Amino acid sequence: SQQGEEDPQALSIQEGENATMNCSYKTSINNLQWYRQNSGRGLVHLILIRSNEREKHSGRLRVTLDTSKKSSSLLITASRAADTASYFCATALQTGANNLFFGTGTRLTVIP
Amino acid sequence: EAGVVQSPRYKIIEKKQPVAFWCNPISGHNTLYWYRQNLGQGPELLIRYENEEAVDDSQLPKDRFSAERLKGVDSTLKIQPAELGDSAVYLCASSPTILNEQFFGPGTRLTVL
């Protein structure tokens, strides 16, 4: 079974609004990563947050990590139509190698 | 800098036929991954290479799937024979080391009829 689970499965917002996606996982992690996938394309890495970090920013992206709750959130501020894509969280487990376990993704639609 | 290159982008075959996918990782990336992504799902790891060595192939269905990474650069993933359930997007990714972010190719969309 996949390690991460995103919520919601789908999200539709107006351009300019903020979008928040959540990810829950099951076992202890080394780091958690967020990826974006446009339709028919490969995945693009957005941000990596390590288990000893609580928050990280990159441009309009803000990621939080709560290891006690085994959860993370991705916030996209001031969304644009170009942000329309699927967003996946991926966890690298604390034990073993940096194999990534992906969730099922959140499909974000930003309406112009 | 060129990204991860995969070919072909699309492949349609009949069941029981063989098929092969090719991946050229980013130059200098020692770690190479093959993932399978079913429709509406996240990618699932099939195999991970460190240079030319397959260090994790626990999720690779070895009865019909095989992979190689000769000389620790390009890699091929083969399915023989293909089954209907193999229809998916096969993604290749690479990273400088196992502790870094992964860079994905565009994938090969396989349809088995």
Side-chain angles (χ1 to χ4, degrees), chain A residues 2 31 33 35 37 40-43 45 48 50 88 97-100 102-104, chain B residues 9 35 37 40-45 48 56 91 98-102 104-106:
Chain A
Q2 291 182 327
N31 65 72
Q33 303 177 32
Y35 287 80
Q37 185 176 37
R41 301 287 193 88
L43 283 79
H45 180 266
L48 181 155
R50 304 191 187 284
F88 294 91
N98 192 38
N99 291 342
L100 291 180
F102 285 83
T104 52
Chain B
R9 290 294 312 278
Y35 290 88
Q37 185 177 23
Q41 300 292 314
E44 293 182 313
L45 181 70
R48 175 172 64 90
D56 187 346
L91 295 164
I98 63 171
L99 298 178
N100 293 88
E101 65 186 84
Q102 296 181 21
F104 283 79

Side-chain angles (χ1 to χ4, degrees), chain A residues 72-93:
Chain A
S72 174
S73 67
L74 170 67
L75 169 67
I76 304 175
T77 59
S79 64
R80 305 167 182 168
D83 294 329
T84 294
S86 291
Y87 291 82
F88 294 91
C89 70
T91 52
L93 301 186

